[in-house]
Amino acid sequence: MPSLVEALEQKYGLGNLDIQTDQDESLVSIFVPKLPPRMSVPELLVLNDCNIDKAGESEDLRKKCSSVKELDLAQNKLEKWSEVFGILTNMPRVEFVNLSLNRLGGPVAPPSEFSMTRLRSLVLNNTRLEWENVESLLSLLPMLEELHLSLNDYKQVLIDTIEDDFSGPLEGVHLDDEDDETTEEDEMVNQCTCGAKDPPQGAARTDSVCSMYKKTNAHEGVRKLHFTGNPVTQWQEICRLGRVFPNLESLVLADCPIKSLETANTATSDDNNCDSSHAHFQSLTFLNLSNSDIKTWDDIDRLARFPKLKNLRVQNWPLWDKCDSTEHERRQLLIARLPQVQILNGGGMVGVEEREDAERAFIRYYMDRPESDRPERYAELVSVHGKLDPLVDIDLRPEKRVKVKFTYGDTSEIRSVDVYRTVFDLKTRLERLAGIPAAKMRLYYVDQDMQGPEEMKYPHKQLYSYNIRSGDEIIIDRKH
């Protein structure tokens, strides 16, 4: 398998390229490239799926890649972090690195003088990276702003800034691979309440469970975190991410089967409670929870308490399948419950008129329901808009049948017509009256206010779309 240097030479033909990196600042020189642009190393270097498994000669790598700012090495054969650090050390300007679909294992042990002060974005999707390695990387990347950890099969978040608050069985984690049978000791482990104030009777803190959680320092720099497609079900695990990244502004949890935003330690909605679902997301402005497993409106009310949340995606929830409302009505209910959200499920901003209409619709939706079924938001909106009168049920559908005057030459006849028929169907029914085949017939509509005549030329157009009323006239003519 090729090294990165060899893959670079194969793709760009840079085998004999000698790039001068140190220039005498006292000299003024003009550089005329001898190679065409396609032969130079681009700032965006993409070497996907090249079977790269190592860095290559360090000196050659530095000469060829010292100007690289974005590096994409997804879907290669890199397995050792020593090779990754060998690559990054020789790219001092790199700001973005994609290592997705590389099975990186082993300890994260950088060279003694390793420094990555420019790296802002790191993509580690589908790498199955262990949490202790994630923690090690974070300590090495103080300027990191965006981190991608999607599709890594994480069922738990095993790093935290506090002593682990584990208070339930570790879903999907087997502590003893050699014996799957449940024993009394296993039962004790499953009841472990590490860090809990009042552990249940007989529960014990065990090293086998608690050692899986690693205490770390908060990373203040990360603003965007992508965590899509990880089988996390408990919001308590997501709270760990909020503690590790306290300044998160964007969090993508799409395709994570989260069951509720209720934390395991408390069900209270008190905004001052440190265990509330939003307590560790004080800076969050964007949240994607699409394709979650959430089934109650209570979780929408919890989202409303996120203090800075402006952009929210909550598509494809089981909750929507249970709603007896249209998509438009559901959007209104969501807007009314989420007073701070400005963009809902993509699209444009929620305008002032749309929000007011949604809030009024919300009041009318719950006004005839029992008081016990009304959410807290109902009273808040009634205090703003007052108690509204029910909307009058007006049937705006056109009359089904109208009496129309049909004229052909000197002959006129008044007939009752179904306005839901098409123009072609009407022509077929007029063949006997006019003695003209439908294919040879023209119809002209004249309303009773003498507007027209308007040719009815579209065969599949329904008659009601012409606003036909009783007393109007249709003139029959033959095509020439």
Side-chain angles (χ1 to χ4, degrees):
M1 287 183 283
S3 66
L4 189 147
V5 173
E6 292 167 342
L8 196 62
E9 292 172 353
Q10 291 172 12
K11 183 170 183 177
Y12 295 101
L14 299 172
N16 298 316
L17 181 60
D18 185 11
I19 298 177
Q20 183 174 349
T21 57
D22 298 322
Q23 298 181 0
D24 187 346
E25 294 184 359
S26 65
L27 298 177
V28 176
S29 59
I30 300 175
F31 173 69
V32 179
K34 295 181 180 180
L35 298 173
R38 65 181 180 84
M39 298 291 284
S40 60
V41 179
E43 290 187 351
L44 169 58
L45 180 57
V46 180
L47 293 172
N48 289 152
D49 198 16
C50 294
N51 292 318
I52 296 169
D53 66 341
K54 52 185 175 292
E57 186 63 35
S58 178
E59 184 177 348
D60 289 344
L61 191 58
R62 177 170 287 273
K63 286 182 178 180
K64 293 174 171 61
C65 299
S66 60
S67 62
V68 171
K69 291 185 177 181
E70 298 184 40
L71 176 64
D72 190 343
L73 291 176
Q75 203 167 349
N76 279 290
K77 305 296 183 183
L78 293 167
E79 296 180 354
K80 298 179 180 179
W81 280 103
S82 58
E83 298 297 335
V84 173
F85 290 127
I87 293 169
L88 298 182
T89 300
N90 292 296
M91 297 184 183
R93 298 184 182 181
V94 71
E95 298 175 0
F96 168 91
V97 176
N98 184 1
L99 296 172
S100 298
L101 292 162
N102 285 281
R103 290 295 181 262
L104 293 163
V108 175
S112 56
E113 298 182 358
F114 179 79
S115 176
M116 286 264 84
T117 57
R118 290 176 178 258
L119 189 61
R120 298 290 189 274
S121 182
L122 179 61
V123 185
L124 297 168
N125 296 336
N126 208 344
T127 57
R128 302 298 196 272
L129 193 65
E130 295 180 1
W131 280 109
E132 61 179 339
N133 288 339
V134 174
E135 191 270 341
S136 298
L137 285 172
L138 291 175
S139 66
L140 295 170
L141 303 172
M143 305 307 292
L144 192 67
E145 297 176 358
E146 182 171 354
L147 178 62
H148 295 246
L149 294 174
S150 298
L151 301 170
N152 281 329
D153 200 32
Y154 293 143
K155 296 179 177 65
Q156 289 83 31
V157 177
L158 300 181
I159 56 175
D160 206 334
T161 59
I162 62 175
E163 293 295 336
D164 66 81
D165 59 349
F166 177 62
S167 58
L170 283 175
E171 181 180 344
V173 175
H174 298 284
L175 302 178
D176 186 358
D177 292 334
E178 296 179 0
D179 185 6
D180 290 331
E181 293 184 6
T182 302
T183 65
E184 291 185 5
E185 183 177 352
D186 294 330
E187 293 292 339
M188 299 279 283
V189 169
N190 287 337
Q191 295 177 9
C192 173
T193 55
C194 310
K197 295 180 180 179
D198 299 308
Q201 185 74 23
R205 179 186 179 96
T206 64
D207 292 339
S208 59
V209 174
C210 298
S211 62
M212 291 190 299
Y213 288 86
K214 184 172 184 180
K215 185 177 179 181
T216 186
N217 295 321
H219 194 294
E220 305 284 346
V222 173
R223 299 291 193 272
K224 298 180 180 180
L225 176 63
H226 292 253
F227 206 70
T228 298
N230 288 301
V232 172
T233 61
Q234 304 298 322
W235 189 253
Q236 186 174 353
E237 300 298 326
I238 305 303
C239 287
R240 297 182 192 277
L241 295 175
R243 288 192 287 264
V244 174
F245 306 113
N247 294 321
L248 271 184
E249 297 173 0
S250 175
L251 177 58
V252 181
L253 299 172
D255 300 317
C256 294
I258 295 169
K259 297 182 181 301
S260 173
L261 271 69
E262 183 178 346
T263 56
N265 292 336
T266 179
T268 182
S269 60
D270 183 2
D271 286 356
N272 297 319
N273 186 351
C274 65
D275 290 322
S276 60
S277 55
H278 61 278
H280 307 292
F281 301 96
Q282 297 297 301
S283 300
L284 198 68
T285 60
F286 173 81
L287 177 61
N288 188 340
L289 281 169
S290 292
N291 296 303
S292 294
D293 195 25
I294 293 174
K295 300 183 175 80
T296 71
W297 282 100
D298 291 341
D299 289 308
I300 295 296
D301 295 334
R302 292 185 179 101
L303 287 171
R305 299 186 181 96
F306 283 60
K308 293 187 178 180
L309 188 61
K310 304 296 183 187
N311 192 337
L312 176 65
R313 289 179 180 266
V314 288
Q315 295 164 305
N316 302 320
W317 282 10
L319 174 60
W320 312 141
D321 296 333
K322 299 193 304 181
C323 288
D324 58 347
S325 55
T326 65
E327 185 174 349
H328 174 67
E329 291 170 340
R330 187 170 70 229
R331 177 177 172 84
Q332 287 187 316
L333 294 175
L334 281 168
I335 290 173
R337 284 181 182 255
L338 299 166
Q340 296 189 93
V341 171
Q342 298 175 359
I343 300 176
L344 180 62
N345 292 330
M349 299 277 287
V350 176
V352 175
E353 285 189 20
E354 184 182 11
R355 184 170 296 281
E356 183 173 345
D357 289 345
E359 291 174 351
R360 289 177 174 273
F362 181 86
I363 293 174
R364 289 191 172 98
Y365 182 85
Y366 283 103
M367 65 190 305
D368 294 329
R369 285 168 167 73
E371 189 170 346
S372 59
D373 292 345
R374 296 173 183 169
E376 293 179 9
R377 183 65 174 155
Y378 175 81
E380 295 173 6
L381 292 178
V382 167
S383 68
V384 175
H385 300 288
K387 291 188 176 181
L388 306 179
D389 295 328
L391 292 176
V392 179
D393 188 11
I394 301 176
D395 188 356
L396 298 177
R397 292 174 297 179
E399 296 181 73
K400 182 172 176 60
R401 302 191 72 84
V402 295
K403 291 185 177 181
V404 178
K405 179 182 178 182
F406 291 94
T407 302
Y408 176 57
D410 297 330
T411 305
S412 296
E413 183 177 327
I414 296 176
R415 288 191 174 188
S416 178
V417 178
D418 184 343
V419 297
Y420 289 94
R421 295 194 183 280
T422 64
V423 171
F424 179 78
D425 190 21
L426 179 61
K427 286 182 178 181
T428 302
R429 292 176 177 272
L430 291 174
E431 285 179 334
R432 185 175 300 177
L433 172 65
I436 304 173
K440 296 289 185 180
M441 190 183 299
R442 290 183 188 273
L443 299 180
Y444 296 88
Y445 166 64
V446 183
D447 70 18
Q448 54 194 289
D449 297 323
M450 299 304 293
Q451 297 294 324
E454 176 186 356
E455 184 177 358
M456 304 168 75
K457 60 174 67 176
Y458 301 106
H460 299 294
K461 191 172 182 179
Q462 291 179 299
L463 300 181
Y464 74 80
S465 62
Y466 290 95
N467 295 319
I468 292 179
R469 298 172 294 164
S470 292
D472 291 346
E473 180 182 11
I474 292 178
I475 299 172
I476 306 169
D477 193 13
R478 178 187 290 270
K479 290 182 181 179
H480 298 291

